[in-house]
Amino acid sequence: MSDMPENKISAQTILVTDSGLGGLSVFTEIANQLKAGSPWQRVKLVYFNAWPEVDWGYNHLPDMNTKARVFQNAMTAMAAYDPNRIFIACNTLSVIYPMTRFSTETDIKVTGIVDDGAAMICEALVKTPDSQVIIFGTPTTTSARSHEIRLKEMGIEQDRIINQGCVNLAGKIERDPFSAIVPEMIDDNVKKVAAQMDKTRGRVFAALCCTHFGYCRDLFIGAIKKYITQDVVILNPNEAMAHRALAHETSITTHPEISMHIVSRIPWETSRIDAYSRLLKGVSPDTVEALGKYELNPELFSVV
């Protein structure tokens, strides 16, 4: 009989959720970290696509109550996988989550990416006093001002924070990340926010507070160089969430047995899977393989 505590030798289930394919970057990085050193001998990784319908997502829903009701249904479905941890790798869903009944009733440890993003931004701003941050996000994320509220609670002055809600950009990247319209939309959003900035400050931090935006990092950099003359540093909360996921765990086995499972209530076109496979193939062939074998379940959760 092993002397190791039971929780260190039993299987662990980690679930990552997003509305679409953007959060696969977090899912992939967690998998890569586990391969390097895992506290558990067996890990089941589940990616749960919480996008509700083919032609509309959470940003299309009329109000927060409706968004919370649909996401409540999705969270209940996630609990059926019996996860030990749930990572909400979506800024929009992280904003919605506290409005769900699930958030007050569950015993599962749930982490939202807004907290990781806010911590990352705060650290950068504190280290560079003469700086400001642009928060690029979906309209749901920026209108809730969740990052701004957390940053102010951490002592960051409001005049150092600029919100830029990028209408329809996440959906366009989700459907076709290599579309010619994507760089045009990013260019337009950077141009708009540049006009609002305090040009007397020094460094600018550009926080990509939508999991989809990280895939377009180079496009954001290109647009920023056109319109912003100050020194600009990109912040990607996807990386912060993945790196913090196992930060408090102690590695006891180097080569865990890992299974990867991706599930969705909506179908993904072959072209979309191919596009994300191109984005991820150099980072994780295992994720690409799991994506190609994803489980389509139209009854995964209710949207009514």
Side-chain angles (χ1 to χ4, degrees), residues 128-140:
T128 313
D130 184 27
S131 63
Q132 58 192 314
V133 63
I134 304 168
I135 297 172
F136 291 101
T138 67
T140 296

Side-chain angles (χ1 to χ4, degrees), residues 3-153:
D3 293 329
M4 288 186 293
E6 177 62 23
N7 69 323
K8 292 298 184 183
I9 62 174
S10 62
Q12 187 87 175
T13 298
I14 298 174
L15 188 148
V16 177
T17 187
D18 192 359
S19 186
L21 289 163
L24 281 176
S25 60
V26 175
F27 181 75
T28 293
E29 183 56 32
I30 291 175
N32 288 344
Q33 288 189 61
L34 285 165
K35 288 178 182 179
S38 168
W40 312 284
Q41 293 178 342
R42 295 175 302 280
V43 182
K44 180 179 180 180
L45 285 175
V46 179
Y47 186 83
F48 187 106
N49 177 26
W51 193 285
E53 292 283 7
V54 171
D55 42 3
W56 54 263
Y58 289 89
N59 287 301
H60 297 98
L61 296 175
D63 52 50
M64 184 58 79
N65 287 337
T66 307
K67 295 173 184 178
R69 174 174 52 77
V70 175
F71 194 43
Q72 165 72 26
N73 295 341
M75 293 298 300
T76 301
M78 292 177 214
Y81 288 87
D82 196 23
N84 301 92
R85 294 281 303 273
I86 296 177
F87 292 94
I88 304 178
C90 175
N91 290 270
T92 294
L93 296 183
S94 293
V95 169
I96 297 170
Y97 176 67
M99 311 300 171
T100 66
R101 190 175 69 255
F102 189 93
S103 68
T104 64
E105 297 176 348
T106 188
D107 294 326
I108 302 168
K109 185 173 182 180
V110 180
T111 303
I113 198 170
V114 167
D115 290 331
D116 293 297
M120 184 185 212
I121 295 166
C122 181
E123 182 180 359
L125 292 174
V126 168
K127 287 183 177 178
T128 313
D130 184 27
S131 63
Q132 58 192 314
V133 63
I134 304 168
I135 297 172
F136 291 101
T138 67
T140 296
T141 297
T142 55
S143 63
R145 298 189 177 275
S146 296
H147 293 87
E148 179 180 319
I149 291 168
R150 286 166 173 76
L151 289 169
K152 288 166 66 178
E153 290 172 349

Side-chain angles (χ1 to χ4, degrees), residues 184-262:
E184 294 177 12
M185 295 174 76
I186 291 173
D187 188 278
D188 183 59
N189 278 283
V190 173
K191 182 178 181 180
K192 288 178 181 176
V193 78
Q196 307 172 42
M197 291 174 50
D198 181 352
K199 304 299 191 297
T200 65
R201 290 191 183 274
R203 176 167 289 176
V204 177
F205 293 101
L208 307 183
C209 293
C210 170
T211 48
H212 289 81
F213 294 176
Y215 293 106
C216 301
R217 178 192 183 102
D218 290 345
L219 295 178
F220 273 96
I221 291 174
I224 285 167
K225 287 181 177 178
K226 284 176 62 178
Y227 299 109
I228 300 175
T229 57
Q230 295 107 305
D231 177 36
V232 179
V233 174
I234 299 288
L235 300 178
N236 187 350
N238 297 15
E239 298 169 358
M241 168 167 263
H243 291 161
R244 293 172 194 267
L246 304 176
H248 301 296
E249 302 291 349
T250 302
S251 297
I252 61 169
T253 177
T254 306
H255 301 292
E257 178 185 325
I258 300 175
S259 64
M260 301 175 76
H261 181 60
I262 299 174

